[in-house]
Amino acid sequence: MLSKKVDLNRLQEADTVLTPTYASRALSTDVPRYELPQEGMEPRLAYNLIHDELILDGSSRLNLATFVTTWMEPEVRQLMAETFDKNLIDKDEYPQTAELEKRCVNMIARLWNAPKDQDAVGTSTVGSSEAAMLAGMALKWRWRERMKKQGKPTDRPNLVMGINVQVCWKKFARYWEIEPRYIPMEGNRFHLNAEEAVKYCDENTIGVIAVLGSTFDGSYEPIKEISDALDRLYAENGLDILIHVDAASGGFVAPFIQPDLEWDFRVPRVASINSSGHKYGLVYPGVGWALWRDQEALPEELVFSVNYLGGQIPTFTLNFSRPGNQVVGQYYNFLRLGREGYTRIQRVSQEIALYLSDQIAQLGPFELISDGSELPVFAWRLKEETNFTLFDMADRLRSHGWLVPAYTLPKNREDLVVQRVVVKEGFSRDLADLLLKDIRQALQYFAAQPGYTPKQRDNSFAHL
Ligand SMILES: *Cc1c(COP(=O)(O)O)cnc(C)c1O
């Protein structure tokens, strides 16, 4: 007589292609976590297992915290997948990938108004952080050379910047043993200004970092004014201090939607600029760019020579091997979009940022500290203390899938809590309206709890 009882163990042992995916041993027992398993598993099982775990990550498209690209077209995804295997450093073996990098550097140099009579000087990097290390080193080398020529000591270099700089500059200062001089925020000044910048400079200053697009509120630092103030400093006491612009975000925004703003190589004291191709350059992570005004701005000793098809190609990077496909993605965007396409995309992001910031300001309890008119990024605070904080608001929005971070500002405004939205390609007006709906709903929830102020409740969400 046939037993109706199925021998599950025997079936799982088989684990053939006939086994239903989720009935397989790999997906019905626990998973190797910290020790390399003795045996492997079928590809589809490994795929499903890892794919499923990653469902727990937030949705990148609802991540309004990140500046990094979360949407690209299918065609470029395909192109990038086809070129996963290209190592960017193998310039000899993949000369065409190297050529695309060179084309990108030249296009960006012109976008940033580098002197036209010279070859563009620059390189791709993993991101703005690597670019910052390279540009910072160039400043240090140049300063040291200058000091040596004057017979002065070179053991106390410092770097002047706003306290709002991104962490990469704090790393740069520590790794390369440079005294960081952070200029604190004051009142409603949330970034570096010209007057403060020059106060912190002396003959040991290797440069001033100016940020085109502060990560805290999306505001632009006044680069032209800082340059003018440094000109006056030079005229007064001979201190010749250069600027590096950290345009991680703004480098691919300002040229398109604020073309008249002078922040780039048009400003004489700007020696170098970095930007993240994977932010408003609209490429998936990680690609960045570091460019110098001219050959003179990049000390020769920092550049290594790599053999390239019988010739010598200069390289200046921290990494050796690096994916080439991100440079391919960047070049695709440049060809596909052109100036016009980038302008349209960044303008739409800005329109949505302005719309959303205006709507949020009208809700009642919030006050904007920036509105998205520089980077398409804005931040707000609570007008007065009430029964919830912006951290609570971030929590409630998270329960709908939105990642809208709340954080305190740095020195001297640690008292101020703000919440920020980064608008970028892929965030539509429709998504903006859905976010607004969820913010209103959260406010309605808080308003129904004891201790809510203002007592006279705002009408803008009463209808809900
Ligand atoms: C994001 C950012 C960085 C770091 O850039 P990565 O490309 O993430 O390394 C540096 N500076 C500013 C102003 C940024 O916004």
Side-chain angles (χ1 to χ4, degrees), residues 214-376:
S214 177
T215 54
F216 287 96
D217 62 355
S219 64
Y220 290 164
E221 292 185 340
I223 291 155
K224 180 73 167 55
E225 279 175 39
I226 294 171
S227 178
D228 291 346
L230 288 170
D231 279 348
R232 288 193 293 277
L233 187 72
Y234 179 61
E236 281 158 21
N237 59 20
L239 286 181
D240 193 4
I241 295 171
L242 297 171
I243 298 172
H244 169 81
V245 180
D246 178 357
S249 298
F252 289 108
V253 174
F256 303 114
I257 60 173
Q258 294 110 352
D260 296 330
L261 180 73
E262 288 184 37
W263 65 275
D264 53 16
F265 292 119
R266 281 168 290 181
V267 179
R269 285 195 177 271
V270 172
S272 48
I273 301 172
N274 70 270
S275 191
S276 298
H278 56 224
K279 290 185 176 175
Y280 287 96
L282 308 177
V283 184
Y284 286 138
V287 59
W289 302 96
L291 270 77
W292 287 266
R293 165 181 293 280
D294 49 29
Q295 295 288 346
E296 196 198 330
L298 179 59
E300 268 174 30
E301 315 88 87
L302 289 174
V303 180
F304 288 79
S305 219
V306 170
N307 194 291
Y308 170 55
L309 278 185
Q312 294 293 319
I313 183 157
T315 87
F316 179 31
T317 54
L318 299 182
N319 273 67
F320 187 70
S321 297
R322 201 158 77 66
N325 67 339
Q326 291 142 349
V327 167
V328 173
Q330 185 77 76
Y331 187 63
Y332 171 93
N333 276 352
F334 288 166
L335 284 194
R336 153 81 176 102
L337 298 171
R339 270 185 189 260
E340 197 183 280
Y342 269 97
T343 304
R344 286 170 69 172
I345 289 168
Q346 315 304 30
R347 194 172 284 150
V348 165
S349 292
Q350 180 146 70
E351 279 166 11
I352 291 171
L354 289 169
Y355 163 76
L356 195 52
S357 67
D358 179 56
Q359 292 289 309
I360 287 173
Q362 286 182 34
L363 289 175
F366 306 122
E367 180 179 32
L368 299 177
I369 70 160
S370 57
D371 64 358
S373 56
E374 294 187 324
L375 287 184

Side-chain angles (χ1 to χ4, degrees), residues 13 105 289 397:
E13 222 50 77
V105 168
W289 302 96
L397 292 177

Side-chain angles (χ1 to χ4, degrees), residues 67 127-130 166 168-169 211 213 215 246 248-249 276 278-279:
F67 286 83
S128 279
S129 301
E130 186 190 8
Q166 210 263 358
C168 68
W169 294 105
V211 183
T215 54
D246 178 357
S249 298
S276 298
H278 56 224
K279 290 185 176 175

Side-chain angles (χ1 to χ4, degrees), residues 49-255:
L49 200 135
I50 298 168
H51 174 88
D52 289 0
E53 284 210 9
L54 292 175
I55 297 173
L56 292 176
D57 276 346
S59 159
S60 66
R61 297 291 304 284
L62 301 181
N63 182 357
L64 306 184
T66 186
F67 286 83
V68 173
T69 301
T70 48
W71 184 84
M72 288 185 89
E73 297 177 322
E75 289 82 357
V76 66
R77 292 173 72 119
Q78 183 188 340
L79 191 59
M80 289 174 78
E82 286 166 8
T83 46
F84 274 138
D85 55 343
K86 306 277 186 112
N87 186 354
L88 194 68
I89 198 71
D90 289 343
K91 300 188 191 280
D92 214 359
E93 291 79 0
Y94 310 125
Q96 208 53 34
T97 306
E99 165 69 17
L100 297 191
E101 182 189 18
K102 200 171 99 187
R103 289 183 197 171
C104 287
V105 168
N106 276 279
M107 286 185 183
I108 297 168
R110 280 159 185 83
L111 190 65
W112 294 345
N113 296 293
K116 285 208 181 67
D117 52 335
Q118 308 187 11
D119 272 349
V121 187
T123 180
S124 72
T125 59
V126 183
S128 279
S129 301
E130 186 190 8
M133 303 299 142
L134 302 178
M137 271 194 286
L139 287 178
K140 185 180 178 184
W141 257 247
R142 286 184 77 177
W143 164 83
R144 195 163 52 198
E145 209 42 47
R146 198 169 63 234
M147 293 295 274
K148 275 188 190 154
K149 271 194 195 133
Q150 299 172 10
K152 289 181 175 164
T154 58
D155 56 341
R156 313 257 342 245
N158 70 63
L159 184 64
V160 171
M161 52 200 153
I163 185 73
N164 53 303
V165 287
Q166 210 263 358
V167 66
C168 68
W169 294 105
K170 302 181 179 183
K171 284 187 183 175
F172 168 72
R174 191 172 305 168
Y175 296 169
W176 272 269
E177 299 182 314
I178 287 156
E179 176 203 339
R181 293 194 172 166
Y182 301 121
I183 298 167
M185 296 181 167
E186 216 58 78
N188 288 330
R189 179 175 61 72
F190 301 118
H191 59 224
L192 184 63
N193 70 5
E195 189 189 340
E196 292 300 310
V198 291
K199 273 193 217 159
Y200 283 69
C201 290
D202 59 29
E203 65 175 2
N204 286 321
T205 302
I206 66 170
V208 173
I209 305 301
V211 183
L212 196 78
S214 177
T215 54
F216 287 96
D217 62 355
S219 64
Y220 290 164
E221 292 185 340
I223 291 155
K224 180 73 167 55
E225 279 175 39
I226 294 171
S227 178
D228 291 346
L230 288 170
D231 279 348
R232 288 193 293 277
L233 187 72
Y234 179 61
E236 281 158 21
N237 59 20
L239 286 181
D240 193 4
I241 295 171
L242 297 171
I243 298 172
H244 169 81
V245 180
D246 178 357
S249 298
F252 289 108
V253 174

